[in-house]
Amino acid sequence: MSPSPSTTAEHRRVWRSPRPVSVGLLISILRRGGGDPTFQPDRGDGWWLGLPTPAGPATLRLEQRDDLGEVVATAWGPGAQWVLAQVPELLGDADDDSGFVAHHPQVERAQRRYAAWHVPRSGLVMHALVPGIIEQKVTGQEAFGGYRRLVHRFGSRAPGPGQERRLWVAPDAATWATVPSWEWLRASVDGARSATVVRAAKVAGRLEECVGLTATQARARLRAVPGIGVWTSSEVAQRALGDADAVSFGDYHVAKNITWALLGEARDDDVLAELLEPYRGHRYRVQRLLELDGHFRPRRGPRMAPRTHLPGRV
């Protein structure tokens, strides 16, 4: 059976931003580890993404043309038109940084260096939420490997040229809700996390509505699902909702890294909250700018073993 026209038809738009944009910086946060089957760099010339949109799966290719000051977006699949309409927000067009003031020289330098970074907004809540839940309280190595296995097992090949490139689209909510318990365990996802995914998938329609809510309302709705806490809701807000204030409280590393960068010593979330209070409204912006600028505390001792659970990330 030959592919349907809705899968193979190519759709394109050219977008010009009124301010500097770096596609690679902006969409890198959507990548779940180096082996993410839904995300592929294209030899430095562009990026390919497999996305589960409300209209169906889509393959999206983004090409930045600095000489012309434009981004060329090409898409295939049932969700092609939806994802092309979302491109400006995906690349930070809705991010308003006009009220941001850098109160530390480290932040000011990072802001100047990464002026082409803005807070992205994919508009895809479950796409951000499921891997966030899988990453709760485990190492990145274990979480990324588990997510990759589940996408290969229950996802689909991306439409159009995405299929030839072996690009994948993550499962939709209905599919996540029916993954058998033994498949979660084979992917090293314990019962607590898999149950949270299933609960979220069963109310996916309500959660996707977070895109149209205020930041406070969206966080409350996400956290109403048992198993989704501050950290996980922030993971979603940073990627799907364009929330510039969604700092990663509860993360094993973030508080230590930011306090080390700004105070010279690694401290906890309480100190981080006080330190970032003058940035309220832009606290995640500070976090990401410092991450991009390489502000990570020195590591000492051996890395944690893959099955070691990390504190606080819920």
Side-chain angles (χ1 to χ4, degrees):
M1 181 181 296
S2 59
S4 68
S6 67
T7 299
T8 59
E10 178 180 295
H11 305 267
R12 178 174 295 195
R13 74 174 292 179
V14 177
W15 179 63
R16 296 176 178 85
S17 173
R19 56 187 179 182
V21 165
S22 171
V23 174
L25 287 179
L26 285 158
I27 67 170
S28 62
I29 196 172
L30 301 181
R31 190 177 195 178
R32 302 293 182 163
D36 185 348
T38 71
F39 187 111
Q40 289 182 11
D42 187 9
R43 298 181 181 178
D45 298 325
W47 298 264
W48 293 79
L49 294 87
L51 297 169
T53 81
T59 294
L60 174 65
R61 183 177 189 270
L62 296 169
E63 179 187 0
Q64 183 156 352
R65 296 178 176 175
D66 289 328
D67 54 335
L68 300 175
E70 64 187 26
V71 175
V72 178
T74 313
W76 299 261
Q81 297 287 8
W82 187 95
V83 79
L84 288 181
Q86 190 66 25
V87 162
E89 290 195 0
L90 177 64
L91 299 182
D93 190 50
D95 178 37
D96 181 6
D97 61 357
S98 58
F100 180 64
V101 177
H103 299 284
H104 297 85
Q106 302 93 324
V107 177
E108 184 179 8
R109 285 195 298 269
Q111 182 187 18
R112 289 199 308 268
R113 185 172 295 175
Y114 295 98
W117 176 83
H118 317 290
V119 183
R121 179 181 167 92
S122 74
L124 298 171
V125 172
M126 289 299 293
H127 180 248
L129 177 59
V130 172
I133 294 170
I134 292 173
E135 291 170 22
Q136 290 175 355
K137 298 186 178 181
V138 296
T139 64
Q141 177 184 350
E142 182 176 354
F144 298 150
Y147 181 65
R148 182 168 61 247
R149 179 187 178 98
L150 290 165
V151 169
H152 282 150
R153 180 71 178 83
F154 297 100
S156 59
R157 284 290 177 86
Q163 186 161 357
E164 297 176 4
R165 297 185 61 86
R166 300 181 182 275
L167 185 70
W168 288 76
V169 176
D172 59 16
T175 303
W176 282 122
T178 59
V179 174
S181 58
W182 59 87
E183 293 288 358
W184 289 108
L185 294 174
R186 286 175 180 171
S188 299
V189 179
D190 59 44
R193 287 178 291 150
S194 63
T196 301
V197 173
V198 172
R199 281 192 294 268
K202 289 180 178 179
V203 294
R206 291 277 293 164
L207 297 183
E208 294 292 352
E209 291 174 357
C210 288
V211 174
L213 303 180
T214 67
T216 300
Q217 292 169 334
R219 291 173 193 153
R221 183 169 294 189
L222 286 164
R223 292 177 63 184
V225 178
I228 297 177
V230 174
W231 181 84
T232 309
S233 62
S234 293
E235 288 289 293
V236 176
Q238 293 165 8
R239 294 163 173 80
L241 307 180
D243 187 347
D245 201 44
V247 66
S248 299
F249 290 118
D251 191 89
Y252 184 76
H253 300 292
V254 168
K256 297 181 180 68
N257 287 337
I258 295 178
T259 55
W260 181 84
L262 301 183
L263 300 176
E265 57 180 334
R267 302 292 297 275
D268 60 15
D269 273 350
D270 289 339
V271 176
L272 177 63
E274 183 178 353
L275 184 63
L276 293 184
E277 185 57 33
Y279 293 103
R280 182 170 288 274
H282 298 276
R283 291 177 295 177
Y284 170 61
R285 190 183 311 281
V286 173
Q287 173 187 326
R288 188 60 179 155
L289 286 172
L290 292 174
E291 289 171 350
L292 291 171
D293 208 29
H295 289 276
F296 302 100
R297 73 192 189 284
R299 303 293 179 86
R300 297 180 178 86
R303 288 183 177 270
M304 291 186 176
R307 293 307 302 268
T308 299
H309 285 235
L310 308 184
R313 296 169 67 161
V314 292

